[in-house]
Each structure stands twice: as structure tokens, then as C-alpha cells.
């Protein structure tokens, strides 16, 4: 399998952490690129031109991160990250969706903030910030549901919170979300987290 990714993408980090948790890391050839660079190869296999994208040994290109993670969950002998059915499955999928939504808002806000003077929309940036804050509030109110065996929901929420620290370090979220902060600290000690710390 080949994984196209960047070392600063929280969605790619989610895939890498899932691979490490499932002990599949050694089966993945890593191809680091910038999805923003002209002519980069990811657009040849993923029409959206985004990372992460995984090309399986059969030559099938898979995207986006939840699909890749579920693919990695479909083989190997380690405990599954996607609960097979019932309430635990829907909780894990919803946690993953909440984390991805928070990331989409964070990334939209940052991209907007980097547009040239005169092209930036303050209202749009505020809308994204409101969304991030609502997602954080929902995570805090359900922090006790982050306990138990590791799931894709936990990994996704970890990557989203870590991305806040990475890109918005001057906007601390921990003081107002103490239960989430405690869970985040504990989860940060996992090998999969320690070996995927983001960098530009
Ligand atoms: N929903 C996608 C989001 C992937 C995504 O937004 N990737 C960003 C990097 S963090 C990207 O490749 N952006 C390039 C672009 O938008 O052209 C997933 O879960 O994989």
C-alpha cells in the first residue's frame, strides 16, 4: 500500500495513527508531498487532489480519511477501531464526524486568514470560529464517552485537538474544557500519538 500524505495534515495523522494502532504501519509505503504544489502526483489518483490518499496493493485509490481508516480496519489481527455494530459503532462514527467537522472549520478559518488584505472575510472567519467552539463544547460535554478501547472516534478527536495546539497555539482551549484536556493528555502518551507529531 502507498500512502500519499503531508506531515502537517491532521487527516493524514488520523490514518497514520490508525495504521500504527493496528500494527500495519510496516506495510505502508509513505509518499510525502504537498497537495498545494503544482503538478503533485496525488491529483492523478484522487480527483479532489487531497491528502491523505491510499493506493492499495490492488491499485485501488482510497479517500478520504474515514474510508482509508475503515479499509485498514478490515484486515490484520489487532482489535478493531470501528466497532462492528450497535450503539458503540454510531458513537465512534459520530465522534469521527464531529472531529472532521471541527477540522474543516479550523482549516477554512486559517486559509481565510491567509488571504490578501481586502479579500479576507471577517464574518466568514467568525462563523468558522463559532463552529470550532461549538464542536469543542460538544466534545467536552461527552468527554466521558471517550473512555474504553481505542476507536476511530477517539483517534479523530485526538487529531483535531492536536491540530488546534499546532495551528492555533495562541488560542488555548484546555482551560475551558478540562475533562477533554485531561483525556487528551492521557491519549497523547500512546505510541501512535508520539510517533506522528505534526511538523511543516
Ligand atoms: N475529508 C478529507 C479532508 C482532507 C483534507 O482536507 N486534506 C487537506 C490537507 S489537511 C488537503 O489535502 N488540502 C488540499 C486542497 O484542499 O487542495 C479527509 O478526511 O481526508
Amino acid at each position: 500500500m502507498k500512502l500519499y500524505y503531508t506531515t502537517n495534515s491532521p487527516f493524514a495523522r488520523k490514518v497514520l495513527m490508525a495504521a500504527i494502532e493496528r500494527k500495519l504501519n510496516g506495510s505502508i509505503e509513505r509518499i510525502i508531498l504537498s497537495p498545494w504544489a503544482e503538478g503533485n502526483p496525488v491529483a492523478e489518483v484522487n480527483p479532489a487532489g487531497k491528502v491523505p490518499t491510499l493506493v492499495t496493493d490492488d491499485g485501488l485509490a482510497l479517500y478520504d480519511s474515514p474510508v482509508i481508516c475503515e479499509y485498514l480496519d478490515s484486515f490484520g489481527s489487532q482489535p478493531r477501531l470501528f466497532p462492528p455494530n450497535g450503539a458503540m459503532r454510531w458513537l465512534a462514527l459520530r465522534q469521527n464526524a464531529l472531529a472532521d467537522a471541527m477540522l474543516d472549520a479550523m482549516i477554512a478559518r486559517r486559509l481565510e486568514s491567509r488571504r490578501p488584505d481586502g479579500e479576507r472575510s471577517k464574518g466568514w472567519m467568525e462563523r468558522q470560529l463559532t463552529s470550532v467552539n461549538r464542536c469543542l463544547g460538544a466534545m467536552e460535554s461527552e468527554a466521558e464517552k471517550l473512555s474504553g478501547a481505542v476507536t476511530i472516534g477517539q483517534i479523530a478527536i485526538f487529531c483535531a485537538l492536536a491540530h488546534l495546539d499546532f495551528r492555533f497555539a495562541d488560542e488555548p482551549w484546555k482551560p475551558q474544557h478540562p475533562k477533554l484536556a485531561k483525556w487528551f493528555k492521557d491519549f497523547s502518551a500512546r505510541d501512535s500519538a508520539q510517533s506522528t507529531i505534526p511538523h511543516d
Side-chain angles (χ1 to χ4, degrees):
M1 296 181 269
K2 283 186 194 164
L3 178 67
Y4 295 84
Y5 77 110
T6 62
T7 56
N8 57 17
S9 163
F11 300 102
R13 186 180 192 187
K14 194 202 316 178
V15 167
L16 289 172
M17 286 183 66
I20 293 166
E21 292 289 345
R22 300 217 74 244
K23 302 209 185 317
L24 295 170
N25 197 26
S27 319
I28 297 178
E29 182 189 340
R30 297 182 180 203
I31 300 167
I32 297 177
L33 50 82
S34 167
W36 303 103
E38 201 64 32
N40 81 75
V42 80
E44 289 165 23
V45 289
N46 176 350
K50 294 192 179 195
V51 293
T53 296
L54 183 89
V55 180
T56 70
D57 291 342
D58 298 331
L60 178 68
L62 291 177
Y63 37 82
D64 49 4
S65 62
V67 177
I68 300 172
C69 290
E70 191 151 7
Y71 176 76
L72 296 177
D73 219 37
S74 69
F75 50 88
S77 58
Q78 296 303 306
R80 294 282 165 107
L81 301 172
F82 287 73
N85 48 42
M88 293 308 289
R89 176 170 175 81
W90 301 116
L91 175 65
L93 293 185
R94 196 180 76 156
Q95 287 168 329
N96 181 85
L98 181 63
D100 284 2
M102 187 165 93
L103 280 171
D104 285 342
M106 260 186 260
I107 291 169
R109 180 173 169 235
R110 182 162 180 269
L111 291 177
E112 187 70 18
S113 75
R114 297 169 84 196
R115 296 182 74 183
D117 283 347
E119 288 184 21
R120 225 173 289 136
S121 163
K122 199 162 167 267
W124 179 249
M125 285 164 60
E126 276 165 9
R127 184 180 166 85
Q128 304 309 322
L129 179 58
T130 301
S131 172
V132 169
N133 286 335
R134 269 200 312 260
C135 292
L136 273 172
M139 289 174 190
E140 174 73 7
S141 69
E142 294 195 350
E144 76 284 354
K145 293 188 179 160
L146 291 164
S147 59
V150 177
T151 66
I152 193 60
Q154 293 172 26
I155 292 174
I157 287 181
F158 173 79
C159 290
L161 295 172
H163 197 66
L164 271 179
D165 285 347
F166 181 52
R167 290 298 190 213
F168 300 92
D170 55 342
E171 297 175 23
W173 57 272
K174 290 173 187 152
Q176 287 183 6
H177 305 90
K179 287 188 268 180
L180 202 53
K182 160 86 176 68
W183 172 83
F184 179 79
K185 183 167 182 280
D186 294 344
F187 204 84
S188 303
R190 300 187 75 82
D191 284 348
S192 59
Q194 288 296 318
S195 56
T196 55
I197 291 171
H199 59 88
D200 287 319

